[in-house]
Amino acid sequence: MKHFISIHDITHEEFNQLLSLAAKLKKEQKAGIQHHILKGKTLAMIFTKSSTRTRVSFETGIYQLGGQALFLSANDIQLGRGETIYDTAKVMSRFVDGIMIRTFDHQDVLDLAKYGSIPIINGLTDLLHPCQALADLMTVKEHKGRLRGLKLAYIGDGNNVAHSLLYACAKAGMDISVGSPKGYECDPEIVANAREDAKELGSKIVMTNDPVEAITDADVVYTDTWASMGQESEKEKRVKAFQGYQIDLELFNKSKPDSIFMHCLPAYRGFEMTADVIDGERSVVFDEAENRLHAQKAVMAMLMVGDNKNG
Ligand code: CP
Ligand code: NVA
């Protein structure tokens, strides 16, 4: 594994390895065992979009592993004034040991990896959010004891989070049903890739416009905001389009009686779900948020231990 840009790019064994390492790091951190395996290493974190969890978990995570992080807002570095990704990748590769980037255009992340010589971690693009899906399945495993054969229902916008969940479920042998309104479905290319990946472990993928069909008998119920970063101006239109897709208790009750509720956060109560669902007993959203820290540490440990510089 050279980069962590898309779960589609890694094998199901690598995905499992990441999940196991994340669980081990979590257990050991709770037991007070420290691993300074990234001592002397620096992670540059480029953000062209806002973040609470991703920023804080990467920064805290690398610190716990003995290294340090540089927070680089795109407004403050020359990238934001038009310096090319090519030059940025070349220059950064001379200074730091890895780059985590959160940005709009997925191609920018691919280009950083292409032109740089250090590991690149995707901290969210318009297309994918792989760090989130890794922490999500770690959370499912903690609460359900297994992944294979479970059904995850994603209700809402066919966005970056939905795409990474499709890839993650396919790699983990989990079934996934996505229920989205017409016009807000997942990218067909991502669905086709996930269906291809799903053949290996036999996951079932169902794409539907019917939220009830998607949620019925689900072990895990997942949703995300109806208007992602960059779509703020569409909010009003989206709120109308997503009527009927809100996870309220009535819809939630169509999943299994012991199902759990998940959300990548930030969440907007009264929109994609009601407060009684996200603040209810079966919501695991804060375990999920915590697991971003452990999952991120596993990703950095897998990519950044040893000498990764080659140029
Ligand atoms: N879930 C997530 O990525 O949160 P942030 O936008 O706060 O990083
Ligand atoms: N889909 C959301 C996820 C935020 C973590 C967005 O892209 O804004």
Side-chain angles (χ1 to χ4, degrees):
M1 216 175 96
K2 240 182 124 187
H3 306 288
F4 189 66
I5 295 175
S6 167
I7 293 170
H8 177 58
D9 298 339
I10 65 176
T11 64
H12 83 255
E13 288 87 359
E14 284 168 332
F15 188 64
N16 261 328
Q17 237 178 307
L18 281 167
L19 287 171
S20 306
L21 182 56
K24 179 174 175 281
L25 288 169
K26 179 172 183 175
K27 205 167 141 204
E28 292 180 351
Q29 190 218 3
K30 305 268 179 209
I33 302 165
Q34 294 188 354
H35 295 287
H36 283 169
I37 50 178
L38 294 183
K39 191 164 188 292
K41 302 269 178 176
T42 303
L43 177 76
M45 308 191 302
I46 303 176
F47 283 92
T48 69
K49 290 180 174 177
S50 308
S51 170
T52 298
R53 282 143 288 268
T54 305
R55 178 184 174 178
V56 179
S57 56
F58 268 104
E59 202 161 329
T60 309
I62 194 160
Y63 180 73
Q64 289 179 2
L65 294 175
Q68 61 171 348
L70 298 176
F71 172 72
L72 306 170
S73 153
N75 292 333
D76 302 328
I77 58 172
Q78 300 289 9
L79 188 65
R81 291 182 58 245
E83 186 167 18
T84 62
I85 286 281
Y86 178 88
D87 289 358
T88 305
K90 295 282 180 201
V91 172
M92 294 288 229
S93 298
R94 303 291 179 103
F95 293 143
V96 300
D97 304 283
I99 300 175
M100 191 283 296
I101 178 164
R102 164 170 289 195
T103 195
F104 293 85
D105 191 350
H106 191 72
Q107 189 59 44
D108 286 349
V109 181
L110 298 175
D111 287 346
L112 266 186
K114 182 171 168 195
Y115 301 125
S117 56
I118 51 176
I120 304 298
I121 301 170
N122 178 359
L124 178 148
T125 62
D126 287 347
L127 193 70
L128 296 171
H129 196 0
C131 293
Q132 182 66 52
L134 179 64
D136 292 342
L137 291 214
M138 176 186 178
T139 311
V140 173
K141 203 166 178 188
E142 279 178 357
H143 283 271
K144 294 282 169 196
R146 70 190 168 107
L147 295 176
R148 250 186 120 158
L150 294 178
K151 172 179 170 178
L152 183 147
Y154 177 96
I155 311 295
D157 190 21
N159 62 13
N160 44 12
V161 169
H163 290 159
S164 284
L165 283 171
L166 276 167
Y167 282 159
C169 288
K171 294 282 172 184
M174 272 177 81
D175 296 340
I176 176 166
S177 295
V178 180
S180 311
K182 278 206 171 65
Y184 297 92
E185 294 99 340
C186 290
D187 180 330
E189 198 181 316
I190 303 272
V191 179
N193 289 340
R195 287 197 197 284
E196 205 44 52
D197 289 350
K199 285 183 187 159
E200 201 174 346
L201 295 182
S203 313
K204 220 168 80 192
I205 297 179
V206 174
M207 309 301 291
T208 172
N209 297 122
D210 179 357
V212 175
E213 181 195 347
I215 209 168
T216 299
D217 288 333
D219 300 280
V220 180
V221 174
Y222 201 117
T223 191
D224 184 15
T225 181
W226 291 337
S228 285
M229 289 180 276
Q231 297 169 338
E232 288 78 7
S233 65
E234 295 174 28
K235 192 165 173 197
E236 215 174 301
K237 186 179 108 195
R238 284 174 167 265
V239 167
K240 281 198 191 110
F242 283 82
Q243 289 313 304
Y245 291 80
Q246 180 187 65
I247 303 181
D248 55 12
L249 277 179
E250 193 189 335
L251 187 58
F252 190 45
N253 283 339
K254 298 197 189 313
S255 62
K256 286 201 178 142
D258 63 346
S259 67
I260 53 174
F261 175 78
M262 299 183 71
H263 191 305
C264 58
L265 307 181
Y268 301 92
R269 288 165 177 78
F271 291 92
E272 68 269 19
M273 82 272 113
T274 50
D276 47 12
V277 170
I278 189 168
D279 300 321
E281 274 181 352
R282 277 148 61 198
S283 170
V284 299
V285 296
F286 298 118
D287 291 339
E288 183 183 1
E290 177 189 331
N291 284 339
R292 293 292 305 278
L293 170 69
H294 311 296
Q296 250 97 261
K297 283 167 77 178
V299 170
M300 289 188 283
M302 290 266 277
L303 293 176
M304 292 171 66
V305 172
D307 184 11
N308 293 298
K309 280 206 178 84
N310 55 20

